[in-house]
Amino acid sequence: MPDSTSLRQLIAAEAKALGFSDVRIGPARIPESSRAELDAWLAEGCHGSMAYMERHADLRKDPALLVNGALSVICVRLPYWPAQATDADTQLRNTEGAYVSRYALGRDYHKVIRNRLQKLADALTKKFGSFNYRACTDSAPVMEVALASQAGLGWQGKHTLALNRTGSWYFLGELICDLPIEADPPIESHCGDCTRCIDSCPTGAITSAYKVDARRCISYLTIEHKGEIPEAFRKAIGNRIYGCDDCQLVCPWNRFTTDGDTEFAPRHNLDNASLLELYAWDETEFLNKMAGSAIRRIGFEQWQRNISVALGNATPTEPIINALNDKKAHASTLVKTHIEWALAQLTAPR
Ligand code: SF4
Ligand code: SF4
């Protein structure tokens, strides 16, 4: 069995070479307080239609159910802040422009992180022999923020995301493994009295500090939620067609972010596209252009649903009303419902 110091040295060197901005080691167990919070959150139904959250709750609460004999979790952060992108506030204020969450402007982080974690595992195997592991990003049933926090990779912000003194514009990844590695200590929270993320949320989804009701969250509504978007939230969605960053954009620690990995630089002008330009895509164009992007996962119907809502929140113009009417003629029932809502907004007396 390799000694912990040699393992830690190799992990640190490899993680750096792979572009991870931080790496910390934590134990392969979830603190009791985090497990209780997950149970209460699920019991209240805050996960909305994400049935898999409930189905996989046991796996989330125990990393050893994912990896036999799990002892340690190697937690990594990969920066994604797209420094070259059109300014987020500018794009959010442009009601004819489409706002796409900063993390989704470039390549799909799932693949990028999994590939790099695999390389990390390969390097460890080469040096120390084979071991049990699983590389995870947020598609695996893992309590990422709890694991990252106990490993000292950051602290949990009041918006529930992990951050440290360089902010929260970072993807998290984990290599759960059966290697005995000395753990890092957790770091202190520096949220203090700040409540900016809570105060800025357009839909009041951060119902109290450290608790997000997904059913109200624009990220959930535009990405995870498959059906109709409840009318109560459509206006607040504004021009956000994929995700929402408001709670992070206001966080004071994000002033100190580092630039993102080049994989996450904007593609297809997603940082400054107009709603009408994206609405004009047919399904083939959507699938082709979104190949290699996390956005492809929501599918064309949801994409059109989201843009229809955003168009309903735009300043009414003839081209926008015409585009909605044209689309309506061939749209699915789901999309049509949102188009009708949008047209009613645009043609209502002001
Ligand atoms: S992502 Fe947006 S809607 Fe969700 S909690 Fe943050 S600010 Fe609120
Ligand atoms: S905005 Fe304030 S409260 Fe929210 S995560 Fe950042 S520092 Fe913490």
Side-chain angles (χ1 to χ4, degrees), residues 159 197 200-206 212 216-219 244-248:
H159 48 25
C197 51
S200 71
C201 176
T203 52
I206 310 176
V212 170
R216 305 184 68 91
C217 174
I218 295 169
S219 282
C244 168
D245 291 325
D246 289 39
C247 51
Q248 297 188 81

Side-chain angles (χ1 to χ4, degrees), residues 155-163 167-168 189-200 206 209-210 246-254:
W155 69 86
Q156 185 186 33
K158 291 178 188 170
H159 48 25
T160 72
L161 305 168
L163 73 158
S168 59
S189 163
H190 293 282
C191 279
D193 295 336
C194 175
T195 56
R196 284 195 204 183
C197 51
I198 300 173
D199 303 339
S200 71
I206 310 176
Y210 311 107
D246 289 39
C247 51
Q248 297 188 81
L249 289 167
V250 296
C251 179
W253 291 108
N254 274 333

Side-chain angles (χ1 to χ4, degrees), residues 39-40 107 135 154 164 166 187 204 243 260 267-268 282 291 301 303 348:
D39 285 338
R107 292 201 175 275
N164 70 13
T166 56
I187 59 170
R267 301 162 76 216
H268 303 295
D282 62 15
E301 188 183 38
W303 172 253

Side-chain angles (χ1 to χ4, degrees), residues 227-301:
E228 261 188 47
I229 296 175
E231 279 201 40
F233 301 120
R234 291 185 196 164
K235 265 201 167 306
I237 284 175
N239 65 347
R240 299 170 191 81
I241 62 161
Y242 187 93
C244 168
D245 291 325
D246 289 39
C247 51
Q248 297 188 81
L249 289 167
V250 296
C251 179
W253 291 108
N254 274 333
R255 276 175 303 175
F256 307 110
T257 191
T258 48
D259 287 359
D261 192 281
T262 51
E263 295 276 20
F264 309 121
R267 301 162 76 216
H268 303 295
N269 296 325
L270 280 179
D271 57 322
N272 63 9
S274 77
L275 291 167
L276 282 181
E277 183 185 337
L278 301 182
Y279 209 44
W281 290 358
D282 62 15
E283 186 161 11
T284 308
E285 198 167 359
F286 169 78
L287 292 173
N288 287 340
K289 289 200 164 139
M290 293 300 98
S293 156
I295 297 174
R296 202 175 199 261
R297 292 163 177 257
I298 68 168
F300 186 56
E301 188 183 38

